[in-house]
Amino acid sequence: MAARNIKGAGLGLRPLHLHEVLQEQPDVPWFEVHICNYLGGGLNPFLLSQINEIYPFSFHGVSLNLGGVDVLDFDYLSDLKQAINTYQPVLVSEHACFTAHDGHFFHDLLPVPFTDEAVQHMANRIKVVQDFLGRQILIENVSRYATYAESQLSEGEFLAAVSREADCGLLLDLNNAYVNQHNLGESVDTFLLEIPVERVAEIHLAGYSVKEDRLLDTHSAEVTHEVWEVFEKYCEQCPMVPCLIEWDSKLPSFDVLMSQMRKAQAYMDFRAYQPTAEGQSCLVMPV
Amino acid sequence: MSCYARLIEQFAEGVLSEEIAAYTDNYIGAHLSAIETTYPALYEQLGADTFGAIAQMYIRHHVPQSWDINLYGEAFYHWIRGQTEGGKADSFSWGTLARIAQIEYAISIAYYAKESQELPDGLSLIEQSEQDQISPDLLCALTKQHPYTDFQAYYDPKLPIIVWREGIRVQVRSVAHELFQALE
């Protein structure tokens, strides 16, 4: 089994590339796995086990419904726990959103209001999940296309409060933050200032698509210049947080993914070895 | 109901009622994509426009009831069969296409099924009828679209079909009525 730590820039492991990854064993430090696709049987988990012999994993889920008010699905959680025991992922992440209501599954990351009540609600559910899994999870900021007039907090304040209350980590999706800035007028800089850096354990970079004047978080293109700029700025502060190139639809050849991954690594390396104003390298690994 | 729960409910209703159009589009798009993935041979037979129109109507009438989007579209073959009463009743052999759809859903179930100690993994049973016989053309389409599945060269329309997974391959086999009934 591969060494159990993840560093630097990694890639999302998609079913289309399972065979290629096994055969070619590309120089990728770690893979993020959409674990919902592997909780059943069949071919994919079989291949995943073989890949796990070579590469460490981070698990990423979309089905916990942490912001929902339906009861938590303990059958799903049991399957997830079993997969965690089997594959020993370094990180396990989910989203700060709701995905189902009243038994109706939306299969989408629907936003929650940013209120004190929402902080308590989501934090309580995260605590239950962490207790059940016996480990800390990360929660990710989502792209949003509508807001609640009732929100009292900004997204950054909300995530900071939830992570503090639940003692969970954060997965920072910089593309989502940029999409929200464009569509909703919410400043990326302010968002990043509000996020507690010590809780950020993974970064996502992705490409969006444009529909009329709106940006859609489709994960279907290369990371844009604007999002690289946000990443560069983030690396000035924290260059050592593992970073993922997230590409889910209109998948390109594996070479294109590798090229994006190397670019992310180059940004991280550049900042990690730049002396600070005080003449020291800023190699500080967030806890 | 708490204030938070009420807001979540209102948002969910807004997605379904198309008041929050961006999310309604995502909802329809995600489930359309899921149905296309499950029914690739049917998609090929109907073409993007016809398939898309039928699937979107299906999505508006069928609530996803599992966290696993791969399982969505369970009743789509009924919906396909129901097209015999629709405006394009004479455009396609809907009964045969419904049979193809039923097999494709069974393949998907078998593919994603957990390993079972008692029954073959992801077992599905499919009755056949002589008027809906699977033609060589359709068999070719199924074979092309399901590379991890083993098909027979010919399916006797008088015999039922069972679908299950064996190791990492999905099997689609005609069986005797006696075995079929025993499995039922």
Side-chain angles (χ1 to χ4, degrees), chain A residues 143-147 178-187 214:
Chain A
S143 53
R144 291 173 288 121
Y145 306 97
T147 55
Y178 181 76
V179 165
N180 291 341
Q181 173 177 270
H182 180 93
N183 293 340
L184 305 173
E186 298 177 357
S187 159
R214 182 176 282 228

Side-chain angles (χ1 to χ4, degrees), chain A residues 65-207:
Chain A
N65 195 23
L66 290 171
V69 292
D70 290 358
V71 292
L72 284 166
D73 183 346
F74 282 91
D75 288 339
Y76 174 85
L77 274 169
S78 294
D79 288 345
L80 177 60
K81 188 172 186 175
Q82 191 177 338
I84 288 170
N85 289 338
T86 301
Y87 301 107
Q88 298 288 307
V90 180
L91 301 170
V92 177
S93 58
E94 254 289 347
H95 296 86
C97 68
F98 78 101
T99 55
H101 181 71
D102 200 18
H104 189 137
F105 290 81
F106 289 86
H107 300 118
D108 195 2
L109 307 173
L110 305 178
V112 298
F114 299 141
T115 62
D116 293 336
E117 189 185 359
V119 169
Q120 286 306 318
H121 178 81
M122 190 175 286
N124 287 342
R125 284 165 76 95
I126 291 169
K127 282 193 260 189
V128 171
V129 167
Q130 291 184 146
D131 286 347
F132 185 86
L133 297 177
R135 64 179 295 160
Q136 195 180 51
I137 64 169
L138 319 179
I139 55 167
E140 179 184 350
N141 58 302
V142 299
S143 53
R144 291 173 288 121
Y145 306 97
T147 55
Y148 292 82
E150 292 81 357
S151 286
Q152 305 151 332
L153 307 169
S154 67
E155 183 177 31
E157 290 169 335
F158 175 78
L159 291 171
V162 170
S163 62
R164 190 171 54 241
E165 187 70 25
D167 191 21
C168 68
L170 293 171
L171 192 168
L172 204 51
D173 190 314
L174 297 180
N175 183 60
N176 288 349
Y178 181 76
V179 165
N180 291 341
Q181 173 177 270
H182 180 93
N183 293 340
L184 305 173
E186 298 177 357
S187 159
V188 173
D189 289 342
T190 305
F191 171 73
L192 292 177
L193 281 174
E194 291 166 345
I195 292 290
V197 291
E198 71 279 7
R199 290 196 180 271
V200 179
E202 188 178 335
I203 300 284
H204 275 181
L205 299 174

Side-chain angles (χ1 to χ4, degrees), chain B residues 65-78:
Chain B
Q65 293 178 315
S66 166
W67 62 264
D68 189 352
I69 196 169
N70 296 313
L71 301 181
Y72 185 64
E74 183 175 13
F76 194 52
Y77 71 90
H78 287 304

Side-chain angles (χ1 to χ4, degrees), chain A residues 143 145 175 179 182-183 207-212 214-220, chain B residues 22 26:
Chain A
S143 53
Y145 306 97
N175 183 60
V179 165
H182 180 93
N183 293 340
Y208 54 74
S209 54
V210 183
K211 188 179 179 187
E212 294 157 4
R214 182 176 282 228
L215 304 187
L216 301 177
D217 174 36
T218 48
H219 300 175
S220 59
Chain B
N26 282 354

Side-chain angles (χ1 to χ4, degrees), chain A residues 1-4 21-26 28-31 47-57:
Chain A
M1 192 174 276
R4 292 298 150 200
V21 168
L22 258 183
Q23 284 166 10
E24 306 290 333
Q25 298 194 12
V28 176
W30 57 280
F31 282 106
L47 297 175
L48 195 65
S49 294
Q50 294 182 35
I51 293 172
N52 195 215
E53 294 291 323
I54 309 164
Y55 299 98
F57 289 159

Side-chain angles (χ1 to χ4, degrees), chain B residues 21-152:
Chain B
Y23 283 99
T24 311
D25 292 347
N26 282 354
Y27 176 77
I28 299 286
H31 292 95
L32 182 59
S33 174
I35 293 179
E36 285 174 8
T37 302
T38 302
Y39 298 98
L42 180 67
Y43 179 90
E44 187 182 276
Q45 296 300 308
L46 291 175
D49 290 347
T50 303
F51 185 95
I54 295 171
Q56 286 196 39
M57 287 303 290
Y58 176 86
I59 292 162
R60 288 175 194 280
H61 287 85
H62 290 80
V63 171
Q65 293 178 315
S66 166
W67 62 264
D68 189 352
I69 196 169
N70 296 313
L71 301 181
Y72 185 64
E74 183 175 13
F76 194 52
Y77 71 90
H78 287 304
W79 200 257
I80 292 295
R81 191 174 292 284
Q83 300 304 312
T84 52
E85 309 293 325
K88 289 195 171 182
D90 299 327
S91 303
F92 296 95
S93 302
W94 295 109
T96 309
L97 291 178
R99 185 74 62 217
I100 295 299
Q102 198 174 4
I103 291 171
E104 291 201 288
Y105 189 77
I107 289 170
S108 185
I109 288 290
Y111 185 90
Y112 289 108
K114 291 180 179 175
E115 289 181 12
S116 156
Q117 301 300 319
E118 293 150 16
L119 285 170
D121 297 336
L123 177 68
S124 294
L125 310 174
I126 300 172
E127 293 275 13
Q128 284 253 76
S129 70
E130 293 197 40
Q131 67 267 31
D132 299 334
Q133 185 173 9
I134 301 168
S135 67
D137 261 7
L138 290 174
L139 189 53
C140 280
L142 282 169
T143 305
K144 185 176 88 179
Q145 296 293 347
H146 296 278
Y148 300 114
T149 302
D150 294 327
F151 293 96
Q152 293 175 188

